[in-house]
Amino acid sequence: KAISIDKSLIQAWNNLGLIHYRQNRMQEAAENFIHALRLDPKNPETHNNLALVLLQMGHLSEAEQARCNGIRDRKLQGAGPSL
């Protein structure tokens, strides 16, 4: 519902991606995370979520790149690596 009110709500797109991931709707989850990253390209949480989905889809090189982006962005924000 939040997305229909304001499409710039990055966390809402991220949450929708997580819902689709849990429903095993990987393509939709990936699209949601990509949309969130268009709005906030330096969001480490979203990069990591996208990496997980891409891994499940068998897109190993893209998953590795998304994971590396997440680690890079987390370091830029001053946080330690996520697991």
Side-chain angles (χ1 to χ4, degrees), residues 59-79:
H59 301 295
L60 303 182
S61 61
E62 293 94 338
E64 182 179 2
Q65 183 61 50
R67 179 71 174 135
C68 288
N69 290 341
I71 291 169
R72 176 203 65 213
D73 294 341
R74 188 169 297 282
K75 287 180 181 178
L76 289 174
Q77 293 178 4

Side-chain angles (χ1 to χ4, degrees), residues 15-62:
N15 290 342
L16 185 58
L18 291 172
I19 290 167
H20 285 142
Y21 173 78
R22 290 182 187 125
Q23 294 173 339
N24 203 33
R25 294 163 59 183
M26 297 301 161
Q27 184 61 44
E28 290 168 282
E31 291 168 5
N32 297 143
F33 294 136
I34 290 167
H35 187 87
L37 286 168
R38 284 187 189 121
L39 300 171
D40 182 9
K42 302 282 187 197
N43 188 308
E45 177 186 358
T46 307
H47 277 293
N48 291 337
N49 291 340
L50 179 59
L52 182 60
V53 168
L54 291 170
L55 185 63
Q56 292 292 320
M57 294 172 73
H59 301 295
L60 303 182
S61 61
E62 293 94 338

